[in-house]
Amino acid sequence: MNTKWTEIGREYSDGDGRERISSAIDSAEWKALPCSTGFCQGMAVKEMISQFRIPNVSHVADSPAMSPYGLVGVRGHYKNMPTVDIWAIDDGCGLTPVCIVEYPA
């Protein structure tokens, strides 16, 4: 497993942010698609899939551990690349990608 942190998400991952995000990721509950979720989380997932062009999405996750922000994850499967989990902070007005977790193919 290899975690890559984004520059754009630096405001959330600086200082103890990475540790806090990693802990939230570890405690997040994955749901296989199709699944039921709240409206806001569902819209966040839909936007992530669209904006990041995530193919073959199999699972989604969210965690309240980053309160007052939401943490949303989407698992995608690429043909010529490893499986990835893309994680973003939902601040209620927009999504900020914070990290990508790659799994060996």
Side-chain angles (χ1 to χ4, degrees), residues 27-72:
S27 68
E29 186 176 323
W30 286 98
K31 299 175 187 175
L33 294 180
C35 66
S36 296
T37 188
F39 177 77
C40 291
Q41 292 89 347
M43 292 302 292
V45 165
K46 183 178 176 183
E47 191 63 22
M48 284 178 67
I49 293 168
S50 172
Q51 291 294 318
F52 302 129
R53 299 184 190 133
I54 306 170
N56 304 315
V57 174
S58 64
H59 293 77
V60 296
D62 63 87
S63 173
M66 292 296 296
S67 183
Y69 306 111
L71 182 66
V72 181

Side-chain angles (χ1 to χ4, degrees), residues 73-97:
V74 177
R75 179 168 291 158
H77 304 273
Y78 293 85
K79 287 182 182 177
N80 298 322
M81 294 175 60
T83 297
V84 298
D85 297 340
I86 300 175
W87 291 92
I89 297 286
D90 181 355
D91 67 5
C93 295
L95 293 167
T96 304

